[in-house]
């Protein structure tokens, strides 16, 4: 069995900045800061990391109370912003997920910096939540460090399938940032980078030495399956 872990933002879909704008609205409500400017790139970061950094930037430290309030309000506002913004699925995503759904020898999984609530709000908004079993979802509340998420993903697979000898050779990541590549290497897995929604150039991503780089997912999903079977 091959386990394919998908990133969400920039890989599966774009939200039209719904997440960032929902966070800014929460920051204004909670801290009174207008048009907050994030001090670190959001692409490839975990929500836990983002929330912590916001609190540090504004308050000088991150208290559990502040972080929890911010995250609760973010989860409350995110669906509204997802509806208001003009986001979209990346090219050939719907066809690819439908093809792999139930395909023998493959399991579709999720590894994302989004929290579970945030992740499924985005997947639901664009009609692809049905393809991602929550048992195979590794999300951003589990660790600030994306490398740790990869380790959790592999260990979870091994615990869910004790009779199957699962190693990093059975795991693939699909993403669009250097952090996706880095986390795959944390467990010796392979990372396929898709440029269609990335904020990084091919050259920047190539420096991180991913397994493969594609401009976009193939129009024929069989080509992707063939890549994974190489």
């Amino acid at each position: 069995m091959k386990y394919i872990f998908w990133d969400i933002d920039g890989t599966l879909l774009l939200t039209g900045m719904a997440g960032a704008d929902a966070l800014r609205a929460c920051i204004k409500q909670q801290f009174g800061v207008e048009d907050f400017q994030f001090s670190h790139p959001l692409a490839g970061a975990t929500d836990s990391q983002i929330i912590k950094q916001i609190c540090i930037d504004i308050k000088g430290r991150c208290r559990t109370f502040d972080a929890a309030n911010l995250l609760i309000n973010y989860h409350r506002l995110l669906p509204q912003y997802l509806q208001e913004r003009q986001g979209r699925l990346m090219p050939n995503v719907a066809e690819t997920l439908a093809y792999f759904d139930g395909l023998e020898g493959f399991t579709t999984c999720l590894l994302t910096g989004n929290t579970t609530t945030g992740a499924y709000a985005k997947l639901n908004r664009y009609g692809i939540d049905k393809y991602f079993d929550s048992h195979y979802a590794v999300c951003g509340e589990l660790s600030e460090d994306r490398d740790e998420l990869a380790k959790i993903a592999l260990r979870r697979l091994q615990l869910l399938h004790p009779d199957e000898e699962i190693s990093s050779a059975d795991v693939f990541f699909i993403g669009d940032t250097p952090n996706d590549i880095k986390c795959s290497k944390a467990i010796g897995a392979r990372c396929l980078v898709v440029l269609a929604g990335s904020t990084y150039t091919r050259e920047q991503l190539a420096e991180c030495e991913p397994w493969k780089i594609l401009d976009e997912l193939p129009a024929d999903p069989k080509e992707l399956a063939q890549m994974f079977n190489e």
Side-chain angles (χ1 to χ4, degrees):
M1 181 69 71
K2 292 180 173 62
Y3 297 90
I4 315 301
F5 283 88
W6 293 80
D7 169 54
I8 295 180
D9 298 285
T11 302
L12 288 170
L13 54 86
L14 294 174
T15 67
M17 298 301 292
D21 289 345
L23 266 177
R24 286 193 177 96
C26 296
I27 292 165
K28 180 180 178 181
Q29 290 177 4
Q30 185 167 329
F31 298 116
V33 178
E34 295 271 0
D35 192 27
F36 179 79
Q37 299 302 307
F38 299 97
S39 62
H40 293 74
L42 301 185
T46 63
D47 281 359
S48 299
Q49 181 182 9
I50 293 167
I51 294 289
K52 179 180 179 180
Q53 191 61 51
I54 290 168
C55 292
I56 292 172
D57 287 345
I58 294 173
K59 304 284 286 186
R61 60 176 178 150
C62 181
R63 297 190 305 164
T64 301
F65 176 83
D66 289 329
N69 276 355
L70 195 57
L71 190 57
I72 290 166
N73 281 325
Y74 170 67
H75 287 159
R76 180 176 60 84
L77 289 183
L78 180 59
Q80 170 192 332
Y81 278 81
L82 287 169
Q83 290 294 331
E84 292 175 354
R85 298 295 183 267
Q86 294 299 312
R88 61 186 174 88
L89 291 177
M90 291 291 94
N92 305 317
V93 159
E95 298 85 352
T96 299
L97 293 176
Y99 176 80
F100 277 88
D101 187 35
L103 181 65
E104 185 176 355
F106 291 92
T107 298
T108 298
C109 310
L110 191 67
L111 189 144
T112 175
N114 288 274
T115 62
T116 301
T117 299
Y120 278 91
K122 293 178 181 182
L123 298 177
N124 179 267
R125 169 68 178 87
Y126 294 97
I128 57 174
D129 53 307
K130 61 186 177 184
Y131 298 117
F132 294 95
D133 185 334
S134 61
H135 290 94
Y136 296 98
V138 179
C139 299
E141 68 266 32
L142 294 175
S143 176
E144 295 175 32
D145 187 341
R146 205 177 185 101
D147 291 5
E148 291 301 313
L149 295 184
K151 296 173 186 177
I152 292 168
L154 179 57
R155 184 58 181 149
R156 177 180 284 180
L157 291 177
Q158 293 168 339
L159 291 171
L160 286 172
H161 303 280
D163 298 328
E164 185 180 344
E165 292 187 8
I166 300 174
S167 71
S168 57
D170 305 309
V171 177
F172 295 82
F173 292 90
I174 303 181
D176 67 293
T177 73
N179 279 346
D180 295 304
I181 304 167
K182 183 172 176 285
C183 86
S184 72
K185 291 186 175 185
I187 61 169
R190 284 167 281 185
C191 182
L192 170 65
V193 171
V194 183
L195 293 173
S198 182
T199 58
Y200 293 87
T201 66
R202 177 183 287 272
E203 291 72 25
Q204 288 172 322
L205 292 163
E207 287 178 1
C208 301
E209 300 181 338
W211 174 55
K212 291 181 184 292
I213 301 177
L214 299 178
D215 290 329
E216 63 182 33
L217 291 173
D220 184 352
K222 291 179 182 177
E223 294 181 20
L224 190 60
Q226 288 170 358
M227 289 182 198
F228 293 134
N229 282 322
E230 289 177 355

